[in-house]
Amino acid sequence: MNIALFVGSFDPFTIGHQAIVSRALPLFDRLVIGVGVNERKQTMFSSEERVDTLRQLYANEPRVSVVAYTDLTVDLARREGATFIVKGVRSMKDFEYEREQADINRRLTGIDTLLFFADPELASISSSMVRELMHFGRDVTPFLPVARP
């Protein structure tokens, strides 16, 4: 079975993240969405809320599972049997960071990372931008995915 891991804090999960899932899913038998829990990082939504939201969003997609994790991404990948890590890239800054992470992950475990470049119309959408808009009471629904029945 060909399994990939898509990880992030997803605070919140945006339409940009959803687009990466949609593009990666045809390449794998199963896609595990790993919701990173970092005690040192202040989040707007609890890990339970983020996991629940994603499980609802992908309730009708049996190839997608959602888990929270607190350890290294490569440790989660091993537990889940993933042979690839999937990441999205919006900018050169993202690319450099993800390239470095991919190199370390591969050195540690041999697991390769596939980078998906954001669709141009989604490249400016980030979780931090959505949180900022929410803080100021703006409507963020255009930036958040909607679960389909």
Side-chain angles (χ1 to χ4, degrees):
M1 184 176 276
N2 196 11
I3 301 169
L5 179 63
F6 180 44
V7 295
S9 59
F10 305 125
D11 186 40
F13 190 84
T14 69
I15 58 174
H17 296 125
Q18 183 182 37
I20 299 299
V21 170
S22 295
R23 290 168 57 198
L25 201 51
L27 303 175
F28 302 99
D29 299 314
R30 189 163 77 94
L31 183 68
V32 178
I33 300 175
V35 176
V37 180
N38 184 341
E39 302 291 326
R40 298 172 304 221
K41 189 174 181 182
Q42 181 71 29
T43 58
M44 179 173 271
F45 299 98
S46 72
S47 59
E48 294 82 10
E49 289 172 310
R50 291 178 280 152
V51 167
D52 288 345
T53 297
L54 285 164
R55 285 183 177 156
Q56 289 173 26
L57 182 63
Y58 290 103
N60 294 322
E61 178 47 78
R63 296 175 297 157
V64 173
S65 61
V66 182
V67 297
Y69 73 106
T70 58
D71 53 349
L72 292 174
T73 296
V74 291
D75 294 332
L76 175 62
R78 280 192 173 160
R79 280 196 306 279
E80 294 293 332
T83 53
F84 291 95
I85 296 169
V86 168
K87 297 293 287 194
V89 175
R90 294 174 295 126
S91 66
M92 284 305 296
K93 181 180 172 185
D94 284 355
F95 175 79
E96 283 300 321
Y97 176 79
E98 296 301 346
R99 186 195 57 76
E100 289 173 4
Q101 292 297 306
D103 181 47
I104 295 300
N105 289 339
R106 189 162 181 258
R107 285 176 186 232
L108 288 173
T109 63
I111 295 174
D112 275 315
T113 300
L114 297 178
L115 299 178
F116 285 82
F117 292 94
D119 294 326
E121 66 274 12
L122 302 176
S124 63
I125 299 171
S126 68
S127 294
S128 56
M129 180 273 299
V130 172
R131 287 193 309 273
E132 181 80 3
L133 291 172
M134 291 172 80
H135 174 77
F136 288 102
R138 297 299 178 119
D139 178 21
V140 296
T141 54
F143 308 113
L144 301 176
V146 177
R148 303 274 189 250

